């Protein structure tokens, strides 16, 4: 059962006047948390209520919440929940530099005014809006660059299949100044260890990959991010915006046991050249057609063949010796692994055609394990 903001039912209504551009920016930020896939209509709304000397805007889909404040002239102590995407779209087009919104509970609508424009919007009952997790928790500040880079490196491997919720999250573990992140969809595994400039909070949690993707979007250009823990939620503060997200219950796979310790072949290859060849071959690898990587003396050949499209083959020098080895990989997964390596050189480690391959880079604490596809013929 959804716990709601029952105290919002009271109040004398609400009248707001603020600068239009600031209002639009705040709406654009928080409306990313409104739900478009629910029968709970209030979750499609943005909550507006007084906060200090200004106005707070908040939205949630019960997994993720976003809130921020804008400077505003506010009268009344009430609250209103307005359809989020509709209000955002309208506010972007308003003709004047300022915007006013008035809500009287007895009327059940909000009146929006800006210059010559006026409209009346149907609203949701604020008493039905979920109670948001508290953000007044003990916070620690961490280096934004290191945290965001780790999220971007591993998030590609998180699952999008909601039938296995644990795999839709990213394992986040702070160990003093060390940050470990891991994600897997059971076909590939990405692990990044990062040393931060200062210790992070005591935290080990599975955090939804979508929430961390929103954090990356919010924190671009920021130097620091505040992090705290609130019961079953994790709190992030960045640039005047608060993001809270639930922790995913369950046991994350033991990634250390999944990473092989020894390999039969280890090669260092120029990343950009290999990435280009893989991208070109992937165009032909439609309908889950695997890429074929054939290693022979001094050479790597990447090929793909699709019955309805055609075939392609391209070779590059490779420091390989021994008997020829041919292995198949999902084109998208292989390309993602190469994108996650930041250096000029990529390490490719192989055991045999039926065992996972590992992508990494010299001097980096990043590992990308990818399952092979059994090749026919």
């Amino acid at each position: 059962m959804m716990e709601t903001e029952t105290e919002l039912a009271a109040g004398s209504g609400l009248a707001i006047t603020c600068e239009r551009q600031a209002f639009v920016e705040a709406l654009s930020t928080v409306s990313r948390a409104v739900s478009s896939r629910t029968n709970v209509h209030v979750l499609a709304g943005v909550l507006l209520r007084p906060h200090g000397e200004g106005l707070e805007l908040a939205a949630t889909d019960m997994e993720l919440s976003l809130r921020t404040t804008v400077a505003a002239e506010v009268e009344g102590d009430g609250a209103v929940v307005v359809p989020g995407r509709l209000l955002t779209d309208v506010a972007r087009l308003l003709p004047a530099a300022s915007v006013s919104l008035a809500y009287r509970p007895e009327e059940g609508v909000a009146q929006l005014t800006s210059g010559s424009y006026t409209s009346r919007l149907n609203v949701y009952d604020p008493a039905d809006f979920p109670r948001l997790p508290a953000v007044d928790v003990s916070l620690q500040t961490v280096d934004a660059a290191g945290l965001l880079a780790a999220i971007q490196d591993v998030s590609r491997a998180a699952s999008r299949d909601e039938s296995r919720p644990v795999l839709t999250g990213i394992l986040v573990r702070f160990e003093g100044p060390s940050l470990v992140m891991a994600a897997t969809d059971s076909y590939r595994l990405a692990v990044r260890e990062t040393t931060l400039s200062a210790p992070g909070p005591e935290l080990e949690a599975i955090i939804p990959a979508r929430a961390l993707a929103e954090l990356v979007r919010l924190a671009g250009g920021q130097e620091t991010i505040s992090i705290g823990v609130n019961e079953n939620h994790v709190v992030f503060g960045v640039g005047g915006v608060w993001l809270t997200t639930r922790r995913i219950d369950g046991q994350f796979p033991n990634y250390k046991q999944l990473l092989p310790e020894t390999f039969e072949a280890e090669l260092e290859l120029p990343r950009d050249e290999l990435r280009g060849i893989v991208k070109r071959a992937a165009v032909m690898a439609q309908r889950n057609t695997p890429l074929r990587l054939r290693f022979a003396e001094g050479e790597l050949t990447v090929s793909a063949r699709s019955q309805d499209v055609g075939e392609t083959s391209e070779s590059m020098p490779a420091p390989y010796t021994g008997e020829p080895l041919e292995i198949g990989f999902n084109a998208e997964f292989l390309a993602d692994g190469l994108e996650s390596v930041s250096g000029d050189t990529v390490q490719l480690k192989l055991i045999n055609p039926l065992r996972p391959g590992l992508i990494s880079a010299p001097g980096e604490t990043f590992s990308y394990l990818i399952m092979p596809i059994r090749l026919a013929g």
Side-chain angles (χ1 to χ4, degrees), residues 34-48:
V34 302
S35 176
S36 59
R37 297 182 300 170
T38 179
N39 293 324
V40 183
H41 297 306
V42 74
L43 296 182
V46 170
L47 172 69
L48 309 178

Side-chain angles (χ1 to χ4, degrees), residues 14 16 46-49 78-82 101 103 109-110 123-124 126:
L14 191 64
I16 306 157
V46 170
L47 172 69
L48 309 178
R49 62 181 172 185
V80 63
V81 181
V82 183
L101 184 144
Y103 167 66
V109 295
V123 298
Y124 306 114

Side-chain angles (χ1 to χ4, degrees), residues 98-247:
S98 66
V99 57
S100 298
L101 184 144
Y103 167 66
R104 293 181 178 84
E106 63 273 14
E107 295 180 359
V109 295
Q111 181 167 307
L112 190 67
T113 305
S114 178
S116 60
Y117 174 88
T118 185
S119 64
R120 291 163 64 85
L121 306 177
N122 294 330
V123 298
Y124 306 114
D125 188 343
D128 295 331
F129 196 80
R131 183 181 299 277
L132 298 176
V135 297
D136 55 345
V137 297
S138 176
L139 297 168
Q140 285 185 259
T141 300
V142 300
D143 169 51
L147 177 62
L148 300 182
I151 294 171
Q152 291 174 307
D153 285 343
V154 306
S155 60
R156 295 180 176 94
S159 176
R160 296 172 181 82
D161 183 359
E162 296 183 359
S163 66
R164 302 182 67 185
V166 167
L167 301 188
T168 65
I170 295 175
L171 176 67
V172 180
R173 184 172 69 241
F174 287 92
E175 299 173 343
S178 177
L179 167 65
V180 178
M181 284 194 178
T184 181
D185 59 6
S186 76
Y187 300 104
R188 54 194 170 152
L189 165 70
V191 182
R192 165 72 76 180
E193 296 184 23
T194 305
T195 300
L196 302 173
S197 58
E202 291 187 10
L203 173 66
E204 180 170 344
I206 306 170
I207 300 177
R210 172 180 166 244
L212 293 177
E214 285 298 329
L215 181 64
V216 170
R217 195 173 283 111
L218 285 172
Q222 301 291 324
E223 294 185 357
T224 60
I225 296 173
S226 298
I227 304 178
V229 181
N230 174 18
E231 297 179 353
N232 295 322
H233 292 79
V234 181
V235 179
F236 298 95
V238 54
V241 179
W242 292 100
L243 182 156
T244 59
T245 180
R246 66 174 179 85
R247 302 165 69 155

Side-chain angles (χ1 to χ4, degrees), residues 16-32 46 48 55-58 66 68-72 83-101 112-114 117 218 241:
I16 306 157
T17 299
C18 64
E19 197 268 324
R20 184 187 66 86
Q21 188 57 35
F23 189 55
V24 169
E25 291 174 1
L27 279 171
S28 299
T29 295
V30 303
S31 64
R32 295 188 63 85
V46 170
L48 309 178
L55 174 72
E56 181 181 65
L57 301 87
L66 290 167
T68 190
T69 58
V70 295
R85 295 198 169 98
L86 174 63
L87 181 58
T88 303
D89 290 342
V90 170
R92 286 195 181 107
L93 301 173
L94 293 176
S98 66
V99 57
S100 298
L101 184 144
L112 190 67
T113 305
S114 178
Y117 174 88
L218 285 172
V241 179

Side-chain angles (χ1 to χ4, degrees), residues 200-356:
E202 291 187 10
L203 173 66
E204 180 170 344
I206 306 170
I207 300 177
R210 172 180 166 244
L212 293 177
E214 285 298 329
L215 181 64
V216 170
R217 195 173 283 111
L218 285 172
Q222 301 291 324
E223 294 185 357
T224 60
I225 296 173
S226 298
I227 304 178
V229 181
N230 174 18
E231 297 179 353
N232 295 322
H233 292 79
V234 181
V235 179
F236 298 95
V238 54
V241 179
W242 292 100
L243 182 156
T244 59
T245 180
R246 66 174 179 85
R247 302 165 69 155
I248 298 176
D249 292 330
Q251 185 69 38
F252 195 83
N254 187 336
Y255 63 88
K256 292 182 179 179
Q257 290 184 350
L258 297 175
L259 294 172
E261 294 183 358
T262 60
F263 299 88
E264 294 299 318
E266 300 186 22
L267 302 90
E268 291 194 4
L269 300 166
R271 171 180 173 264
D272 289 345
E273 183 178 359
L274 178 58
R275 183 177 59 171
I277 290 175
V278 167
K279 282 187 174 181
R280 288 188 289 274
V283 176
M284 292 289 189
Q286 299 187 5
R287 297 186 180 179
N288 297 320
T289 301
L291 292 190
R292 291 174 174 258
L293 277 65
R294 187 178 190 278
F295 297 88
E297 194 76 24
E299 185 179 66
L300 163 61
T301 300
V302 180
S303 63
R305 177 186 297 173
S306 296
Q307 184 174 359
D308 298 335
V309 179
E311 60 184 276
T312 183
S313 178
E314 188 172 355
S315 298
M316 64 180 288
Y320 182 83
T321 58
E323 292 297 317
L325 168 65
E326 191 169 41
I327 188 169
F329 290 120
N330 176 288
E332 178 188 352
F333 294 172
L334 181 58
D336 282 348
L338 296 174
E339 288 287 348
S340 298
V341 173
S342 58
D344 295 330
T345 301
V346 63
Q347 291 178 326
L348 185 58
K349 302 179 182 181
L350 303 169
I351 302 173
N352 62 50
L354 302 180
R355 295 286 303 278

